[in-house]
């Protein structure tokens, strides 16, 4: 699986948009970008994923650059409850040995402050 | 809607004692089930996954075993705990289609401390 690079920490004011970047310059054509988050002492939570088109759901938006080498997770109106570690991972959905096997790196610690 | 339960929430066990952690899923049929461990300050490690009753795949050799006696029940066990078994144990489920394997939904976890 392609390696991802995320900033170790970010701050965001409550009510503002939180934009979390992720670099995945070695991503291959059949690999998707997935985002999870983990609030302290809880299990990880799936947020969103995409291949090459931008995606939006009730939690967030995912913007993937045209060359697919980087992406940004956007939480449009961050709340205090969005304070968590956010993980960007790259996985194939095409079968093989890597799908279904989530491996989190260090992620980005997002702190939303009042 | 689907829910996933794990118990106990916390557990303190002596070295050499047995272990049994249970995970159950509601609101879905024939899910893929996963056991992960998250050691303190470290990332997530997949321990076992199951695509059906009685079907268990182990990702890493270790002191643990898993069983799936019913469709929506996944059990993690050990006969003799080691200090290195301490960690946060997470159960997860996903759909069975290739496009859904990586969308996993996690339980609240069990924090195990082996003394």
């Amino acid at each position: 699986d392609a390696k991802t690079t995320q900033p170790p920490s970010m701050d965001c004011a409550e009510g503002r948009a939180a934009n979390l970047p992720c670099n995945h310059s070695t991503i291959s054509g059949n690999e998707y970008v997935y985002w999870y988050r983990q609030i302290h002492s809880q299990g990880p939570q799936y947020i969103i994923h995409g291949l090459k088109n931008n995606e939006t759901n009730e939690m967030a938006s995912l913007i993937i650059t045209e060359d697919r080498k980087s992406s940004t997770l956007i939480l449009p109106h961050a709340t205090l409850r969005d304070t968590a570690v956010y993980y960007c991972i790259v996985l194939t959905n095409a079968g093989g040995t890597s799908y279904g096997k989530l491996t989190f790196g260090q992620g980005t610690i997002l702190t939303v402050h009042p | 809607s689907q829910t996933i339960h794990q118990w106990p929430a916390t557990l303190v066990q002596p070295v050499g004692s047995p272990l049994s952690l249970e995970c159950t899923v509601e609101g879905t049929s024939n899910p893929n089930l996963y056991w992960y461990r998250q050691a303190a300050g470290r990332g997530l490690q997949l321990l076992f996954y199951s695509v059906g009753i009685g079907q268990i795949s182990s990702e890493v050799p270790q002191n643990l075993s898993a069983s799936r006696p019913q469709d929506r029940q996944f059990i993690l066990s050990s006969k003799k705990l080691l200090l290195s078994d301490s960690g946060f144990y997470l159960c997860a489920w996903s759909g069975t289609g290739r496009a859904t394997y990586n969308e996993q939904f996690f339980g609240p976890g069990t924090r195990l401390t082996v003394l």
Side-chain angles (χ1 to χ4, degrees), chain A residues 34 36 38 41-46 49 87 91-95 97-106, chain B residues 34 36 38 41-46 49 59 88 90 98-109 111:
Chain A
Y34 280 79
Y36 279 78
Q38 188 169 20
S41 295
Q42 296 184 20
Q45 179 186 24
Y46 165 79
H49 76 278
Y87 297 100
L91 291 167
T92 179
N93 279 350
T97 59
S98 66
Y99 68 98
K101 184 189 299 186
L102 301 183
T103 304
F104 293 170
Q106 295 304 308
Chain B
Y34 309 83
Y36 288 87
Q38 193 171 36
R42 301 183 66 179
L44 212 60
Q45 179 186 35
L46 179 64
Y49 69 92
E59 282 295 304
F88 191 37
L90 292 154
R98 279 184 178 178
T100 60
Y101 276 29
N102 296 323
E103 284 180 51
Q104 296 181 18
F105 301 92
F106 286 80
R111 196 163 298 280

Side-chain angles (χ1 to χ4, degrees), chain B residues 54-98:
Chain B
Q55 301 180 61
I56 309 294
S57 296
S58 174
E59 282 295 304
V60 294
Q62 59 212 322
N63 186 41
L64 302 168
S65 62
S67 62
R68 184 171 177 174
Q70 300 181 49
D71 180 45
R72 291 169 287 176
Q73 183 185 29
F74 207 21
I75 297 172
L76 184 70
S77 304
S78 173
K79 291 182 179 178
K80 288 186 178 181
L81 284 169
L82 306 172
L83 286 174
S84 57
D85 291 325
S86 293
F88 191 37
Y89 286 83
L90 292 154
C91 180
W93 74 271
S94 75
T96 56
R98 279 184 178 178

Side-chain angles (χ1 to χ4, degrees), chain A residues 3-95:
Chain A
K3 182 183 164 110
T4 62
T5 304
Q6 299 177 252
S9 64
M10 294 183 66
D11 286 341
C12 178
E14 190 177 19
R16 305 296 296 267
N19 298 287
L20 295 102
C22 180
N23 286 323
H24 32 78
S25 59
T26 60
I27 192 170
S28 61
N30 65 348
E31 288 180 317
Y32 289 69
V33 180
Y34 280 79
W35 283 84
Y36 279 78
R37 73 180 182 184
Q38 188 169 20
I39 296 169
H40 182 62
S41 295
Q42 296 184 20
Q45 179 186 24
Y46 165 79
I47 302 174
I48 198 168
H49 76 278
L51 182 62
K52 52 186 177 181
N53 297 324
N54 297 339
E55 301 287 343
T56 296
N57 63 21
E58 65 278 3
M59 288 184 67
S61 295
L62 174 61
I63 308 298
I64 303 174
T65 57
E66 192 168 343
D67 62 7
R68 301 208 325 122
K69 292 185 177 181
S70 66
S71 60
T72 301
L73 178 74
I74 301 173
L75 307 179
H77 305 287
T79 71
L80 299 179
R81 288 176 295 180
D82 292 321
T83 293
V85 182
Y86 286 77
Y87 297 100
C88 166
I89 54 177
V90 172
L91 291 167
T92 179
N93 279 350

